């Protein structure tokens, strides 16, 4: 079984490909929680593969909460991690293993898949150039196939890209980011909004509502995945001034430079 969480589509694409290669059922984590949080893994399937993006070199806070809330039953289950990231993951794998241990679950392999960058609200952070984006996407399927083979053959390797200064990134920057930089009130919409509603439809947490004129507003349940910003066809959504001049990327849609 593959359980996934995705903002801009990278992790969903990886989860769906893993499902094809392993024959495992795929289910979105928010859907599982919305349905009561009780997941039963089919008989004969002993692997649970968690697929989600790295947020500021750690497990997205909303995913950690959902791991706490979910109940998964099955026979002799082993949990594996496949994290998507633009460059490196810090110690995301260690954080995930800790959360699994807190649930009393056994862990196996941990892997990263390098995907196009999506986080654009840090200074000097932007989407990848088309050349880098396409190179990452062209390598995606081979990487996923290698991970699927490793899991099905019970190799259970830890094959992640920690990057430089992982302790600093996960131990210091991650908690600062989660405490101070998840600010849904910073999202704004300009007059160029065409009222298409794509932002509300794509939000993985159903955090965006549309007014009578079909203009979006953001609630408090936000993980700043930026899916709403990246999917907007008229570039009407901004995150304060931090996204000014930045590009857009959503899996399956070519990125658009401002």
């Amino acid at each position: 079984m593959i359980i996934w969480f995705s903002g801009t589509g990278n992790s969903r694409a990886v989860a769906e490909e893993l499902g094809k290669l392993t024959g495992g059922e795929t289910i979105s984590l928010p859907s599982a929680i919305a349905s009561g949080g009780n997941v039963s893994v089919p008989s004969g399937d002993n692997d649970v593969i968690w697929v989600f993006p790295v947020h500021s070199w750690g497990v997205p806070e909303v995913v950690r909460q959902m791991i706490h809330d979910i109940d998964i039953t099955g026979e002799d289950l082993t949990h594996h991690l496949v994290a998507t990231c633009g460059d490196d993951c810090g110690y995301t794998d260690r954080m995930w293993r800790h959360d699994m241990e807190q649930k009393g679950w056994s862990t196996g392999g941990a892997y990263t898949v390098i995907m196009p960058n999506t986080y654009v609200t840090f200074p000097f952070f932007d989407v990848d150039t088309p050349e880098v984006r396409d190179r990452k996407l062209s390598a995606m399927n081979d990487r996923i196939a290698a991970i699927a083979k490793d899991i099905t053959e019970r190799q259970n390797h830890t094959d992640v890209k920690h990057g430089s200064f992982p302790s600093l990134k996960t131990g210091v920057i991650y908690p600062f980011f989660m405490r101070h930089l998840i600010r849904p009130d910073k999202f704004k919409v300009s007059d160029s909004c065409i009222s298409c509603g794509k932002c509300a439809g794509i939000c993985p947490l159903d955090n965006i509502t549309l007014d009578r004129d079909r203009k979006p507003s953001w609630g408090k349940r936000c993980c700043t995945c930026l899916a709403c910003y990246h999917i907007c066809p008229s570039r009407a959504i901004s995150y304060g001034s931090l996204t000014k001049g930045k590009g857009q990327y959503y899996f399956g849609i070519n990125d658009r430079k401002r």
Side-chain angles (χ1 to χ4, degrees), residues 59-158:
V59 181
E61 192 171 60
V62 65
V63 171
R64 300 193 80 186
Q65 183 59 52
M66 290 180 180
I67 289 173
H68 178 272
D69 293 340
I70 202 168
D71 182 29
I72 300 176
T73 57
E75 301 174 1
D76 300 320
L77 298 179
T78 301
H79 296 257
H80 310 271
L81 167 66
V82 179
T84 61
C85 57
D87 296 292
D88 55 72
C89 73
Y91 282 143
T92 296
D93 57 317
R94 297 186 183 184
M95 184 182 296
W96 170 80
R97 288 190 191 278
H98 172 270
D99 290 347
M100 294 290 106
E101 290 169 3
Q102 291 293 305
K103 296 285 291 192
W105 294 338
S106 298
T107 61
Y111 314 86
T112 46
V113 180
I114 305 301
M115 296 291 283
N117 278 306
T118 64
Y119 202 77
V120 297
T121 64
F122 279 162
F124 311 112
F125 278 54
D126 203 347
V127 297
D128 293 319
T129 64
E131 293 77 16
V132 172
R133 175 202 67 208
D134 292 346
R135 184 171 70 247
K136 289 179 177 180
L137 291 174
S138 67
M140 178 185 77
N141 284 344
D142 285 347
R143 174 61 175 162
I144 297 171
I147 292 170
K149 183 175 185 291
D150 203 83
I151 291 174
T152 55
E153 292 182 354
R154 320 299 294 179
Q155 296 298 314
N156 294 338
H157 289 127
T158 295

Side-chain angles (χ1 to χ4, degrees), residues 195-231:
S195 303
C196 66
K198 287 185 177 180
C199 53
I202 209 65
C203 178
L205 300 175
D206 294 326
N207 186 56
I208 299 174
T209 56
L210 303 176
D211 63 19
R212 289 188 299 176
D213 296 322
R214 292 183 60 79
K215 306 297 183 184
S217 62
W218 287 259
K220 295 181 178 180
R221 192 166 182 253
C222 179
C223 64
T224 60
C225 69
L226 303 178
C228 54
Y229 161 82
H230 287 290
I231 202 70

Side-chain angles (χ1 to χ4, degrees), residues 35-51:
S35 300
N38 298 307
V39 175
S40 179
V41 179
S43 178
D45 187 354
N46 304 118
D47 295 307
V48 179
I49 306 173
W50 295 81
V51 184

